[in-house]
DNA sequence: CGTATTTTGGAGCGAGCGCACGGAAACTCG
DNA sequence: CGAGTTTCCGTGCGCTCGCTCCAAAATACG
């Protein structure tokens, strides 16, 4: 019925996500997005709306790919403490593997834009809540199986892990000493 | 010998720091800085150099005022666990008290600008290291007095607290439930 | 009081920003 | 193959950006 697109929308969205992820919202220009996606400016605007809408789409895409991957690590079978350790070790290793890496996009969005944009804040909250819930379920499972003491509530322990986890991802931006970071992980897991 | 300044340099620096802190580096224009400090553009450039230099000055000013305040909380006398609790509770309360608050400037700088600016990264590292060292000393003191088990090294425990602490400050941007946040603090302190 | 020196305020520079637009191009379908 | 529809690409608009410059203003000193 009309001229077909010569790009894949998901590929373009992934490229835009990586650009926002690495450079942040303000430091990313629409030319940067045009370059990294390979789309012309008008195609960008036709497909995704304006810069802010594309940022929100990128953040949601991060949820569907990366946040989902994090909770998937927790939902796997096996000893619960190993699942929790996997989550954190995986984060440390991906943060350290790529020198261009830019931590966790959700945290970046939370710091740079959640204050000034209600929709961004709600989206960030959704990410946080999803990970927190996955952690709570995992810990509750561990408490039922006896791997984790039921002394403190699963919710409190989950928030404690969540806090350590996000702190790790902030520290890992500066502190590149893998052993020090893994020491945090071990100490946290063994304290459960 | 010449026309005297009609502003106080420290006051201007404090105002600039608060602007960068709240809005971030990229979203802050030199007009914003001119407005918040009350200085004309030429006075700003005469006194502080360009925008980036002013940002570095602001970050160092944060170190001397706010980071120093954090370590001062730890250096006070009294039970060690109370000192650690104070540090975290104080952060939660200041983050929640002011709806305009924007978390921890060091974390913000780490997320927005440490990747792309070596001097910012070194300054952020200095903040992190200072808090980590203060935590290590505090925990070592607790181990000597018997308040904290010497099973795990003071350095590892310090980094664990540091991680939780920074995670708390990220979470507090979104999660405004004081009881949930304080639950993290209690759980962390009681696990020592 | 005149001169030297520094600060101040405001205008304005070139560059890059987000975004819009219009015509050419590439398809589907009658 | 022509009509209709959507996408693509380049140009450029209005604006704001970081930063500079300069003349007026305000002091200290001989």
């Amino acid at each position: 019925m009309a001229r077909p697109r010569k790009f894949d929308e998901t590929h373009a969205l992934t490229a835009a996500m990586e650009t926002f992820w690495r450079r942040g919202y303000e430091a990313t220009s629409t030319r940067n997005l045009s370059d990294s996606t390979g789309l012309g400016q008008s195609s960008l605007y036709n497909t995704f709306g304006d810069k802010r809408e594309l940022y929100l789409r990128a953040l949601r895409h991060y949820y569907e790919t990366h946040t989902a991957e994090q909770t998937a690590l927790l939902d796997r079978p096996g000893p619960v403490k190993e699942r929790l350790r996997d989550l954190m070790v995986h984060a440390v290793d991906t943060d350290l593997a790529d020198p261009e890496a830019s931590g966790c996009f959700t945290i970046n969005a939370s710091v740079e834009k959640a204050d000034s944009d209600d929709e961004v804040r709600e989206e960030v909250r959704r990410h946080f809540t999803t990970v927190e819930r996955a952690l709570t379920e995992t810990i509750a499972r561990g408490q039922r199986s006896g791997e984790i003491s039921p002394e403190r509530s699963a919710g409190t322990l989950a928030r404690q892990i969540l806090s350590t986890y996000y702190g790790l991802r902030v520290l890992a931006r500066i502190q590149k000493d893998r052993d020090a970071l893994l020491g945090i992980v071990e100490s946290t897991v063994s304290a459960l």
Side-chain angles (χ1 to χ4, degrees), chain A:
Chain A
M1 206 50 157
R3 176 174 176 171
R5 284 184 179 163
K6 68 174 181 186
F7 66 90
D8 178 67
E9 188 169 320
T10 303
H11 285 165
L13 184 54
T14 301
M17 178 191 78
E18 284 169 355
T19 303
F20 276 132
W21 187 357
R22 266 199 270 277
R23 302 174 55 93
Y25 180 82
E26 294 289 348
T28 299
S29 73
T30 55
R31 269 88 171 172
N32 292 150
L33 293 166
S34 184
D35 289 346
S36 66
T37 59
L39 274 67
Q41 302 250 63
S42 61
S43 295
L44 269 182
Y45 278 81
N46 254 334
T47 311
F48 299 109
D50 64 12
K51 181 184 172 184
R52 180 181 162 279
E53 287 182 69
L54 178 51
Y55 184 78
L56 278 167
R57 286 282 303 268
L59 201 51
R60 291 182 184 125
H61 189 60
Y62 183 84
Y63 180 88
E64 287 156 19
T65 55
H66 291 71
T67 304
E69 190 191 356
Q70 291 164 29
T71 59
L73 275 178
L74 292 174
D75 289 338
R76 283 177 3 195
V80 159
K81 288 189 181 182
E82 272 184 34
R83 296 287 75 75
L84 297 170
R85 187 187 352 251
D86 282 353
L87 174 72
M88 293 187 274
V89 170
H90 182 258
V92 167
D93 281 338
T94 52
D95 283 354
L96 294 191
D98 180 7
E100 301 283 302
S102 211
C104 168
F105 189 21
T106 303
I107 293 176
N108 301 359
S110 154
V111 165
E112 190 190 0
K113 223 169 153 34
D115 275 355
S116 60
D117 190 315
D118 290 347
E119 284 193 74
V120 170
R121 180 167 53 250
E122 283 313 308
E123 182 63 25
V124 167
R125 194 195 307 278
R126 186 166 73 101
H127 297 218
F128 283 4
T129 306
T130 297
V131 180
E132 180 185 332
R133 183 153 45 225
L135 282 168
T136 304
E137 285 166 12
T138 301
I139 289 169
R141 184 152 56 92
Q143 288 178 326
R144 282 193 300 273
S145 72
E147 295 171 76
I148 292 175
S149 156
E151 190 184 347
R152 277 165 291 184
S153 81
T156 296
L157 288 176
R159 281 189 287 274
Q160 192 190 339
I161 300 286
L162 188 70
S163 190
T164 306
Y165 174 63
Y166 285 143
L168 260 181
R169 304 209 66 169
V170 170
L171 285 181
R173 294 174 143 280
I174 305 296
Q175 164 84 357
K176 299 298 185 186
D177 180 346
R178 185 167 182 269
D179 290 340
L181 295 170
L182 292 187
I184 298 175
V185 176
E186 287 312 315
S187 177
T188 301
V189 170
S190 72
L192 285 172

